[in-house]
Amino acid sequence: MQPHRKSAVSTAVAVGVVAAVLAGCERGTSTGAGPSATGPAEAGCPAVVAGAEAAVQRAMKNRPAWHGPTRGPRAVPGKSIVYVAQTMTNPGVAGAAEAVRDAAKAIGWDVRVIDGQGAPAGIQAAFSQALALRPSGIVIGGFDPKLTSQQVVKANALHIPLIGWHAVDSPGPSKDPELFTNITTRVQDVAKISADWVIAHSHGHAGTVVFTDASIPFARNKSGLIKKELATCSGVRLLAEENIPISDTSSRTPQQVSALLSRFRNRWTHSIAINDVYFADAAPALRAAGKKGAGAPFNIGAGDGDPSAFQRINSKQFQAATVPEPLSQQGWQILDEFNRAFSGEPPSGYVSPVHISTAANSSGATTWDPPGYRAAYRKIWGR
């Protein structure tokens, strides 16, 4: 969502019922942070900068080999999967769904995608529709299973395995809610490396804005971890945290960016967003203010690395970097994990390592697609 363009659910309609209680703040709010948040900018943090630079260099390497599973059960024939999507307008959710479809062709299964359209009522209806189809397995695509607790309990009672994509905070199996496994990079790693990029890129002297969606527990946790890592450098100031629901980014982000520019001017040097979509909607306001696409504020998305984010990065248009989810690899992993569930085997335990994509290392690509996994999974499945 990590949630990453998301990578996680935007529950804008339920803010008054659920999100406000969970988040403790209002929809679309802006929280400022004074100098005491991270200390005076002039202090610097040479030791922290050195550590951040080393971490960023490791994360920018394009790994040449597959380090995921190479053994597992052969493909169980004749299975059907329903992917319940938080909203197909979230490129991360949609990218994972397309990858599941792609993998299904390889393993020989049927896949149906049902769009929850971003609102709790729609997501609940989509999940109920999925249950009515009596599929072999259901994917919880980018939303908090607590929104569909009744449907989750029913699926468990029907012995329909559930696999999450960015459904809960941590990768791997979940007992509450009961998920066979959850596919995501580790949110702690994504948050830390995105903050480390700002620290390294600014040499420890930055005025930073964080964009989040506090209605999503996964996203709220991610932005909290980002702020925690930024605070390790005394020269990095948190200027503001902008709470804008992902479903509202197109309508709310431009005006919020204009307000931030008026408020902070050149003190705003860097931004981190829990999802790349914020920078798509920030670009017009930045351009209208006379900002250069390759200049400050330098923006990094802490997920999901969809094609439009790569296009902005490669063309140097108001986004400098992203911490992308390997969406295609994760879609294939989802089907491999289902195959393990159908075969009575435990989850693989594989978690994708974090990666940073910039114009310097993406080579013009429009996605982070690590090599080797397709051949590995086909070999496992006997396909």
Side-chain angles (χ1 to χ4, degrees), residues 288-302:
K291 295 291 183 180
K292 303 297 183 183
F298 300 98
N299 301 320
I300 181 170

PDB file of all heavy atoms in Angstrom, residues 288-302:
ATOM      1  N   ALA A 288       2.391  24.538 -12.494  1.00  0.00           N
ATOM      2  CA  ALA A 288       1.770  25.857 -12.521  1.00  0.00           C
ATOM      3  C   ALA A 288       2.517  26.860 -11.660  1.00  0.00           C
ATOM      4  O   ALA A 288       2.496  28.067 -11.932  1.00  0.00           O
ATOM      5  CB  ALA A 288       0.314  25.747 -12.043  1.00  0.00           C
ATOM      6  N   ALA A 289       3.203  26.364 -10.630  1.00  0.00           N
ATOM      7  CA  ALA A 289       3.969  27.243  -9.748  1.00  0.00           C
ATOM      8  C   ALA A 289       5.358  27.546 -10.292  1.00  0.00           C
ATOM      9  O   ALA A 289       6.141  28.240  -9.639  1.00  0.00           O
ATOM     10  CB  ALA A 289       4.091  26.604  -8.368  1.00  0.00           C
ATOM     11  N   GLY A 290       5.650  27.047 -11.490  1.00  0.00           N
ATOM     12  CA  GLY A 290       6.944  27.315 -12.108  1.00  0.00           C
ATOM     13  C   GLY A 290       8.057  26.385 -11.654  1.00  0.00           C
ATOM     14  O   GLY A 290       9.237  26.635 -11.960  1.00  0.00           O
ATOM     15  N   LYS A 291       7.700  25.293 -10.968  1.00  0.00           N
ATOM     16  CA  LYS A 291       8.714  24.339 -10.550  1.00  0.00           C
ATOM     17  C   LYS A 291       9.203  23.528 -11.750  1.00  0.00           C
ATOM     18  O   LYS A 291       8.442  23.251 -12.675  1.00  0.00           O
ATOM     19  CB  LYS A 291       8.163  23.403  -9.469  1.00  0.00           C
ATOM     20  CG  LYS A 291       7.806  24.110  -8.167  1.00  0.00           C
ATOM     21  CD  LYS A 291       9.057  24.602  -7.452  1.00  0.00           C
ATOM     22  CE  LYS A 291       8.744  25.245  -6.129  1.00  0.00           C
ATOM     23  NZ  LYS A 291       9.947  25.721  -5.414  1.00  0.00           N
ATOM     24  N   LYS A 292      10.457  23.130 -11.709  1.00  0.00           N
ATOM     25  CA  LYS A 292      11.035  22.323 -12.771  1.00  0.00           C
ATOM     26  C   LYS A 292      10.827  20.843 -12.460  1.00  0.00           C
ATOM     27  O   LYS A 292      10.957  20.421 -11.310  1.00  0.00           O
ATOM     28  CB  LYS A 292      12.535  22.607 -12.919  1.00  0.00           C
ATOM     29  CG  LYS A 292      12.854  24.068 -13.193  1.00  0.00           C
ATOM     30  CD  LYS A 292      12.252  24.541 -14.517  1.00  0.00           C
ATOM     31  CE  LYS A 292      12.630  25.992 -14.816  1.00  0.00           C
ATOM     32  NZ  LYS A 292      11.987  26.473 -16.059  1.00  0.00           N
ATOM     33  N   GLY A 293      10.539  20.071 -13.484  1.00  0.00           N
ATOM     34  CA  GLY A 293      10.252  18.658 -13.283  1.00  0.00           C
ATOM     35  C   GLY A 293      11.391  17.890 -12.657  1.00  0.00           C
ATOM     36  O   GLY A 293      11.173  16.904 -11.939  1.00  0.00           O
ATOM     37  N   ALA A 294      12.629  18.319 -12.910  1.00  0.00           N
ATOM     38  CA  ALA A 294      13.794  17.630 -12.376  1.00  0.00           C
ATOM     39  C   ALA A 294      14.329  18.287 -11.111  1.00  0.00           C
ATOM     40  O   ALA A 294      15.384  17.880 -10.602  1.00  0.00           O
ATOM     41  CB  ALA A 294      14.901  17.572 -13.435  1.00  0.00           C
ATOM     42  N   GLY A 295      13.614  19.297 -10.594  1.00  0.00           N
ATOM     43  CA  GLY A 295      14.100  20.026  -9.428  1.00  0.00           C
ATOM     44  C   GLY A 295      13.287  19.763  -8.181  1.00  0.00           C
ATOM     45  O   GLY A 295      12.446  18.859  -8.129  1.00  0.00           O
ATOM     46  N   ALA A 296      13.551  20.565  -7.159  1.00  0.00           N
ATOM     47  CA  ALA A 296      12.854  20.423  -5.886  1.00  0.00           C
ATOM     48  C   ALA A 296      11.387  20.881  -6.015  1.00  0.00           C
ATOM     49  O   ALA A 296      11.093  21.782  -6.814  1.00  0.00           O
ATOM     50  CB  ALA A 296      13.570  21.232  -4.813  1.00  0.00           C
ATOM     51  N   PRO A 297      10.473  20.282  -5.254  1.00  0.00           N
ATOM     52  CA  PRO A 297      10.718  19.206  -4.307  1.00  0.00           C
ATOM     53  C   PRO A 297      10.952  17.868  -5.015  1.00  0.00           C
ATOM     54  O   PRO A 297      10.228  17.525  -5.951  1.00  0.00           O
ATOM     55  CB  PRO A 297       9.435  19.165  -3.476  1.00  0.00           C
ATOM     56  CG  PRO A 297       8.374  19.715  -4.381  1.00  0.00           C
ATOM     57  CD  PRO A 297       9.055  20.748  -5.212  1.00  0.00           C
ATOM     58  N   PHE A 298      11.983  17.141  -4.547  1.00  0.00           N
ATOM     59  CA  PHE A 298      12.327  15.840  -5.101  1.00  0.00           C
ATOM     60  C   PHE A 298      11.430  14.796  -4.437  1.00  0.00           C
ATOM     61  O   PHE A 298      11.399  14.687  -3.211  1.00  0.00           O
ATOM     62  CB  PHE A 298      13.801  15.531  -4.863  1.00  0.00           C
ATOM     63  CG  PHE A 298      14.727  16.531  -5.502  1.00  0.00           C
ATOM     64  CD1 PHE A 298      15.276  17.560  -4.757  1.00  0.00           C
ATOM     65  CD2 PHE A 298      15.042  16.452  -6.852  1.00  0.00           C
ATOM     66  CE1 PHE A 298      16.117  18.491  -5.338  1.00  0.00           C
ATOM     67  CE2 PHE A 298      15.887  17.386  -7.450  1.00  0.00           C
ATOM     68  CZ  PHE A 298      16.432  18.406  -6.694  1.00  0.00           C
ATOM     69  N   ASN A 299      10.727  14.029  -5.255  1.00  0.00           N
ATOM     70  CA  ASN A 299       9.655  13.175  -4.750  1.00  0.00           C
ATOM     71  C   ASN A 299       9.972  11.694  -4.899  1.00  0.00           C
ATOM     72  O   ASN A 299      10.436  11.249  -5.962  1.00  0.00           O
ATOM     73  CB  ASN A 299       8.361  13.485  -5.505  1.00  0.00           C
ATOM     74  CG  ASN A 299       7.941  14.937  -5.349  1.00  0.00           C
ATOM     75  OD1 ASN A 299       8.053  15.502  -4.271  1.00  0.00           O
ATOM     76  ND2 ASN A 299       7.466  15.546  -6.429  1.00  0.00           N
ATOM     77  N   ILE A 300       9.685  10.927  -3.853  1.00  0.00           N
ATOM     78  CA  ILE A 300       9.824   9.472  -3.905  1.00  0.00           C
ATOM     79  C   ILE A 300       8.535   8.829  -3.427  1.00  0.00           C
ATOM     80  O   ILE A 300       7.954   9.238  -2.425  1.00  0.00           O
ATOM     81  CB  ILE A 300      11.030   8.972  -3.068  1.00  0.00           C
ATOM     82  CG1 ILE A 300      11.160   7.437  -3.180  1.00  0.00           C
ATOM     83  CG2 ILE A 300      10.944   9.424  -1.614  1.00  0.00           C
ATOM     84  CD1 ILE A 300      12.442   6.881  -2.596  1.00  0.00           C
ATOM     85  N   GLY A 301       8.082   7.825  -4.162  1.00  0.00           N
ATOM     86  CA  GLY A 301       6.900   7.073  -3.779  1.00  0.00           C
ATOM     87  C   GLY A 301       7.292   5.818  -3.028  1.00  0.00           C
ATOM     88  O   GLY A 301       8.110   5.032  -3.513  1.00  0.00           O
ATOM     89  N   ALA A 302       6.707   5.633  -1.853  1.00  0.00           N
ATOM     90  CA  ALA A 302       6.967   4.424  -1.069  1.00  0.00           C
ATOM     91  C   ALA A 302       5.956   3.347  -1.456  1.00  0.00           C
ATOM     92  O   ALA A 302       5.209   2.824  -0.638  1.00  0.00           O
ATOM     93  CB  ALA A 302       6.890   4.738   0.421  1.00  0.00           C
TER      94      ALA A 302
END
